[in-house]
Amino acid sequence: MGGRQLKHSDAIVIVGAGAFGLSTALHLALRGYRNVTVLDKHEYDNSGYDYRSGADSASSDMNKIIRSAYGSQVEYQDLSKEAIEWWTAWNREIKAGKDLAPGLSTNDRVYINNGTLCFTDQLELAPFEVETIRNMKAAGLGETQLVTMNPEDNASAQRRGLGYAMDPFRRRARNKPNVGVLDTTGGVVVADKACRFALHKARRLGVKFIFHPQAGAFESYWHDEQGNVVGVKTQSGEKHPAKKVVMACGGWTPTLVPELDGLCETTAGSVIMLQIPPNSHLRERFAPDKFPSWMWKLWDGAEGGLYGFPVDDRGMMKIGYRGTKYTNPQLQQDGKLRSVPITRYTPGDKVTQLPRKSMQIFKHFLNEYLPELAENGIDIELTRLCWYTDSFDNHYVVDDLPGQNTVMVATGGCGHAFKYLPILGKWVVDIMEGVEMDRTLVKKWAWRSLPEGEKPFNVLMQGNDSPNAFKNVSWTKDSDLKLGSQPKL
Ligand SMILES: Cc1cc2nc3c(=O)[nH]c(=O)nc-3n(C[C@H](O)[C@H](O)[C@H](O)COP(=O)(O)OP(=O)(O)OC[C@H]3O[C@@H](n4cnc5c(N)ncnc54)[C@H](O)[C@@H]3O)c2cc1C
Ligand SMILES: *[C@@H]1O[C@H](CO)[C@@H](O)[C@H](O)[C@H]1NC(C)=O
Ligand SMILES: CC(=O)N[C@H]1CO[C@H](CO)[C@@H](O)[C@@H]1O
Ligand SMILES: CC(=O)N[C@H]1CO[C@H](CO)[C@@H](O)[C@@H]1O
């Protein structure tokens, strides 16, 4: 690890231009590296990281949640604090309007700090929330966590203009329990715009990007006669020399880097999007300054794990479900089964529907918490499978592959890395250079395997034996997208 001293003129190739790749490129350039090339098979200059325009990486999205609330994991709580400073600075830069990225205007923001509500259907706070409150207090940030049932916290929220976020589902008016914590440090990051911003910044600092389905697609490493990796080959046959190769291919990494067997697997989360018409009063009701981002029963297994957002600037409301994650095991050339991402945009076989189980959970939630959508004739407009890269312990993986020092991975985002887009690369470059390797997160992100007898946070690589393998899943039909036609439960 960090064994080889890199010179600022050395060629570095990053494969993948998602949150990990973009941020690594940006921070390499900021630190003076002058020969950085990023390859991606997706043409981001055409899609602008917009899912609806054909971009299907985890980072290509309308919005993501940003939170400091991390239960007992104070190291991520600290990381959020650092990231929020950067997000705030990026907002300032956009507002100042100097050298804006394509498609951004001075009215845009990449970070909307209007709170994230963690709530439950139980009558008491979950242990995760209790831990968060304790640890934020210990960090001197107690006043940032507001408990919905606590009259003093409620009054504080009202004073700070965040009253709307304490009961966004109008539970009180309907005589229903409303138990949760508002993390006022959190809110929404506008993912597609943030990626475009980071891409533009990295380009301005001299990073070269090759976006093309063949010329940008990693095919294999390029080896010298001794078998050492000296670069990469693309599907178009070009060779790119490199002193360091960073594999940051999100959900595609485990099949490209089979050494990750047992450490990482790609799994699919489910997403629905509802289009609120421009003339509907619900545009106002769910606007970002009147409605927070939220997480419901986040750690409650298959019956929980929902999260959602205010409407975006095109009036689209997104809700996700991660309580069940699905896999697509496919036989690989080495005879092993590995899960492979497949979306509505994959060349060849596609997936355009959701597992029925996900849809049932979405509908149950909408019926209970957001009945005004169906009442106003709003149906689900679009669905999505979004591919995580899970590690067995839910920590990222940023390290050299074992036994050599040319190829490194920066992956394992596990459904919570996007919020760190501005600073992920700072850590990746530190690890590359061998800086302060005794930090807790650097050690957690090192190459590792599940200690014998220990229970994993995420159970990986169950192949087709899992009830959540695509072969065992039954799928929705287009008619399932209707909400209004659903009989009330
Ligand atoms: C449904 C869902 C919801 C999430 N919600 C949140 C949230 O609310 N908050 C949060 O902080 N995080 C969230 N995350 C996690 C976050 O999105 C990820 O951790 C992060 O975006 C991962 O970035 P990445 O760079 O690893 O992968 P990706 O964004 O997937 O990028 C990988 C890139 O590699 C490229 N690639 C693949 N194969 C090749 C190849 N052979 N050659 C060249 N390029 C290749 C792909 O085209 C892609 O551009 C969520 C994730 C999902 C799936
Ligand atoms: C919070 O404050 C609002 C506005 O004063 C009030 O309507 C609501 O009942 C309060 N809720 C709680 C739980 O105290
Ligand atoms: C309290 C708070 O952060 N309010 C912000 C919510 O978002 C709007 C814009 O959507 C801002 O103007 C508010 O300042
Ligand atoms: C849990 C479960 O449903 N497993 C089944 C998944 O599908 C395979 C065949 O494809 C069966 O063998 C498993 O029993």
Side-chain angles (χ1 to χ4, degrees), residues 24 40 74 108 111 150 171 202 368 372 423 431 448 450 466:
T24 301
D40 203 298
V74 289
D108 278 313
Y111 166 46
N150 179 332
R171 302 290 289 169
E368 172 68 23
E372 56 261 73
I423 55 168
I431 291 168
R448 57 200 182 267
L450 182 66
S466 162

Side-chain angles (χ1 to χ4, degrees), residues 148-151 154-155 158 166 172 178:
T148 56
M149 312 82 82
N150 179 332
N154 184 43
Q158 309 291 339
M166 293 296 268
R172 208 176 163 85
N178 175 39

Side-chain angles (χ1 to χ4, degrees), residues 15-21 39-42 44 49 56-61 63-66 70 189 216-219 235 248-253 256 267 269-271 307 309 318 322 386-389 396 410-420:
V15 186
F20 275 97
L39 303 175
D40 203 298
K41 63 187 170 65
H42 183 82
Y44 284 117
Y49 288 87
D56 59 3
S57 69
S59 306
S60 303
D61 206 346
N63 39 33
K64 300 284 187 195
I65 290 177
I66 179 160
Y70 256 98
V189 288
F218 173 89
E219 169 80 27
Q235 280 179 19
C249 312
W252 293 266
T253 323
L256 294 171
T267 66
S270 307
V271 172
Y307 58 91
F309 298 85
K318 188 183 99 180
R322 51 179 282 173
C386 176
W387 290 85
Y388 299 98
T389 320
Y396 315 149
T411 191
C414 296
H416 66 112
F418 194 87
K419 68 176 76 61
Y420 304 127

Side-chain angles (χ1 to χ4, degrees), residues 349-367:
D349 284 345
K350 299 177 195 325
V351 174
T352 58
Q353 299 289 341
L354 290 184
R356 292 184 69 83
K357 177 181 187 161
S358 302
M359 189 58 86
Q360 276 160 6
I361 288 184
F362 281 128
K363 286 193 173 174
H364 178 77
F365 181 88
L366 289 172
N367 196 51

Side-chain angles (χ1 to χ4, degrees), residues 2 31 49 58 101 159 205-206 247 273 317 327 366 406 422 438 479:
R31 228 173 271 192
Y49 288 87
R159 265 199 314 278
L205 291 166
M247 298 299 281
M273 285 161 261
M317 177 189 258
T327 56
L366 289 172
T406 308
D438 54 352
S479 55

Side-chain angles (χ1 to χ4, degrees), residues 427-447:
W427 289 71
V428 177
V429 180
D430 278 353
I431 291 168
M432 203 182 279
E433 294 182 335
V435 175
E436 284 184 69
M437 299 299 279
D438 54 352
R439 282 176 288 176
T440 307
L441 284 177
V442 171
K443 288 194 240 164
K444 288 212 190 287
W445 298 346
W447 202 274

